[in-house]
Amino acid sequence: MKMVTLPHRLALEQGGGAVAVLVAPALSVRLCHTRGVQQEVETEADIGLRFAAGEDDGFADAYKSWGSLVYTIALRSTGNEADAADLTQAVFVSAWQSRGSFDPEAGSLPAWLVTITRRRVADHFRRRSVTSEIPTEAMTGDDPRNSTIATRPGSHPSDVVDRVVVADELGRLGEPTQTILRLAFFADLSQQQIAYRLSMPLGTVKSQTRRGLLRLRDRLEGSHGPL
Amino acid sequence: MAHCDDESLAMLALDGTQLSSAQAAHLEQCAACTEELASLRRTVTVGRSGDPDQELTAPPQAVWAAIQNELGTATGTGTSDAGGADAEAGPGAGVVPIRRAKSRTSRRWSSLAAAAVIGGIIGGGVVAATVALQQESSQVTASAELSPVPGGPAGPQHGTASVQQTPSGPVLAVDTEDLPDPDGFYEVWLMDAATGGLIALGTVPGGRSVVHLPIPPTAKLNEFSTVDVSIEPLDGNPKHSATSVLRGDLV
């Protein structure tokens, strides 16, 4: 197997074989190969390398892989398709034109694309804040943790981006990690309850939870770009 | 003691599972572990407040076309054969917003997108759009409402065109909507209504798009003051097909 230097710390699912997971009725039954996750991670890194090298197919593959992520972020942020289309175009054009500043060893390409998307979303709101009564600081997309403006929770443009990014990464997790985290996030089950529900050892559940949460955290933080 | 282990911090962030007293004491005076815990907590908060069934929406086909047009490169392009809509699909096009059955994961969605064929932006004369994203710094000196031509193909297509003076010269910004997928391609012309003279500016894709086409600086816009969009066959003949789908006068 080709050795690939991965740009960031990831918990790779080890080993092959299919994992059958029996889950709560609200969630679906999935059969998938843990090996597939490893391949997807390597493919992602490979696209990043080709993109950085200026290869046209690297750019096309980046759009194929993450065009919808960028567009969905833009759509949820701006609320209309025309602005979302313009914003998506702006992100990919400027990403390609400034590909020299993307270092595939230092970070992942989708995270870098989302960083650009954040700035475009912030610009979008900055232009509109001239006519709105909402203070500019609340629209700048700056780190909401530093904001002194009391905005409605979850309404900050950066929150919208965060939610799409984490939900997207959650969906890319392999099994059983994804199911475990979904049960923890949305069904509010404790680790013990998840272990019982999935008939897995508690230690395994905790270990998978740790790896999955770290991966989500890395993707989220990576998508905020250098501070 | 050594730093708090990842798992203990993850458990604390997720459901408040208390640290051991030794770990708790360490946390109180360790900035690194405190920040680690904070970042895990933020992740949990964001994850919990997300949409469990989030489905990504694919961008319209026109977006990829507009990107390639703007970059003016052959990025991923190839000539499309006459095979129809699929052959013209850009990467990620042809993947309509999927209302998936709940049993499909977004990873499956990714591989669907990957299977979409990269087609090209077709047309005998794709003009490289050299204007960068400088719309705010350019000045509109004339604009036209584009409507279906009497005697030409009817339909929902419409658009606007505006002449913009940019730092790199005059540009025609063509914004079109609801252009049906052509059998062939669409070409934008500046027309002298009095003489029938024509200046070809470039291609626009079907659907919805915004395209910036450079205008020859020596073109006399007071004479060539009509914007025309025609449908052209891929026959290598550069002449106007005489079938116009949109037209409007610059004022």
Side-chain angles (χ1 to χ4, degrees):
Chain A
M1 178 177 300
K2 184 172 68 128
M3 277 300 297
V4 175
T5 306
L6 294 174
H8 59 137
R9 184 165 51 111
L10 283 176
L12 291 179
E13 312 295 340
Q14 297 294 327
V19 177
V21 180
L22 193 63
V23 301
L27 300 174
S28 52
V29 175
R30 286 187 209 94
L31 266 176
C32 55
H33 294 267
T34 55
R35 225 171 156 68
V37 177
Q38 193 166 353
Q39 282 166 359
E40 183 181 333
V41 165
E42 287 177 358
T43 305
E44 174 184 304
D46 181 61
I47 296 175
L49 289 168
R50 287 186 285 120
F51 181 95
E55 297 176 26
D56 284 349
D57 60 311
F59 181 62
D61 284 348
Y63 186 82
K64 268 194 294 194
S65 298
W66 301 298
S68 295
L69 175 61
V70 171
Y71 183 75
T72 303
I73 290 172
L75 194 55
R76 303 246 174 115
S77 299
T78 63
N80 79 89
E81 291 172 356
D83 286 341
D86 289 345
L87 211 145
T88 303
Q89 177 182 345
V91 166
F92 277 93
V93 166
S94 65
W96 186 242
Q97 289 174 336
S98 61
R99 61 189 180 274
S101 65
F102 168 64
D103 181 0
E105 305 294 321
S108 77
L109 182 54
W112 187 69
L113 290 171
V114 173
T115 303
I116 297 173
T117 308
R118 279 187 204 278
R119 287 202 286 268
R120 293 288 170 174
V121 167
D123 290 345
H124 171 91
F125 281 108
R126 197 176 286 118
R127 279 196 287 272
R128 274 148 187 78
S129 72
V130 173
T131 53
S132 83
E133 291 175 358
I134 299 175
T136 310
E137 295 96 298
M139 301 293 213
T140 59
D142 289 336
D143 191 338
R145 292 164 280 176
N146 296 331
S147 172
T148 54
I149 307 292
T151 54
R152 185 168 57 85
S155 69
H156 196 284
S158 190
D159 293 343
V160 172
V161 181
D162 286 350
R163 284 198 287 268
V164 175
V165 167
V166 170
D168 176 64
E169 192 62 21
L170 178 62
R172 294 176 197 257
L173 293 177
E175 292 295 357
T177 314
Q178 183 175 157
T179 297
I180 290 171
L181 279 176
R182 283 181 180 275
L183 290 174
F185 282 170
F186 306 124
D188 252 341
L189 299 188
S190 69
Q191 298 281 287
Q192 188 76 38
Q193 289 169 326
I194 294 171
Y196 177 76
R197 182 78 68 94
L198 302 181
S199 301
M200 294 174 68
L202 178 60
T204 306
V205 171
K206 287 187 173 181
S207 172
Q208 295 294 328
T209 299
R210 173 186 59 82
R211 294 157 95 187
L213 192 58
L214 284 175
R215 181 166 151 180
L216 297 183
R217 188 276 306 271
D218 288 349
R219 180 51 54 95
L220 176 59
E221 305 272 300
S223 77
H224 275 272
L227 294 170
Chain B
M1 62 167 279
H3 290 299
C4 300
D5 65 288
D6 282 342
E7 192 170 289
S8 301
L9 292 180
M11 294 304 118
L12 174 54
L14 196 53
D15 56 22
T17 307
Q18 291 301 312
L19 298 174
S20 71
S21 50
Q23 285 182 328
H26 170 86
L27 185 67
E28 250 173 69
Q29 43 86 31
C30 176
C33 287
T34 301
E35 176 50 35
E36 181 77 1
L37 175 63
S39 74
L40 291 170
R41 278 194 163 131
R42 280 194 295 273
T43 307
V44 170
T45 302
V46 171
R48 280 216 163 100
S49 60
D51 176 3
D53 298 316
Q54 172 176 291
E55 297 167 357
L56 294 179
T57 309
Q61 181 180 349
V63 174
W64 178 244
I67 288 169
Q68 290 191 289
N69 201 319
E70 182 160 359
L71 289 172
T73 68
T75 308
T77 60
T79 27
S80 112
D81 45 45
D86 281 351
E88 294 174 303
V95 184
V96 296
I98 300 171
R99 290 286 153 238
R100 291 174 287 134
K102 286 199 176 176
S103 59
R104 292 169 70 182
T105 67
S106 59
R107 269 200 308 122
R108 284 266 287 277
W109 187 94
S110 300
S111 53
L112 268 179
V117 175
I118 302 179
I121 303 307
I122 41 107
V126 175
V127 176
T130 55
V131 178
L133 296 164
Q134 298 293 337
Q135 290 152 346
E136 287 90 20
S137 64
S138 55
Q139 204 194 345
V140 175
T141 51
S143 64
E145 285 293 315
L146 303 176
S147 315
V149 175
Q157 66 270 11
H158 57 277
T160 57
S162 57
V163 177
Q164 298 179 356
Q165 302 299 336
T166 75
S168 31
V171 155
L172 189 72
V174 182
D175 183 338
T176 51
E177 201 165 350
D178 294 328
L179 272 176
D181 278 331
D183 185 16
F185 67 100
Y186 292 111
E187 181 78 14
V188 177
W189 312 79
L190 286 176
M191 186 165 81
D192 181 338
T195 65
L198 294 161
I199 302 175
L201 293 186
T203 251
V204 298
R208 189 193 183 277
S209 74
V210 177
V211 165
H212 293 81
L213 303 170
I215 299 173
T218 47
K220 296 194 174 131
L221 293 176
N222 54 340
E223 291 172 12
F224 291 86
S225 57
T226 301
V227 177
D228 178 280
V229 180
S230 69
I231 185 161
E232 299 293 325
L234 284 162
D235 59 0
N237 184 340
K239 287 204 213 164
H240 194 295
S241 67
T243 306
S244 297
V245 296
L246 288 174
R247 195 178 289 161
D249 290 318
L250 290 165
V251 294

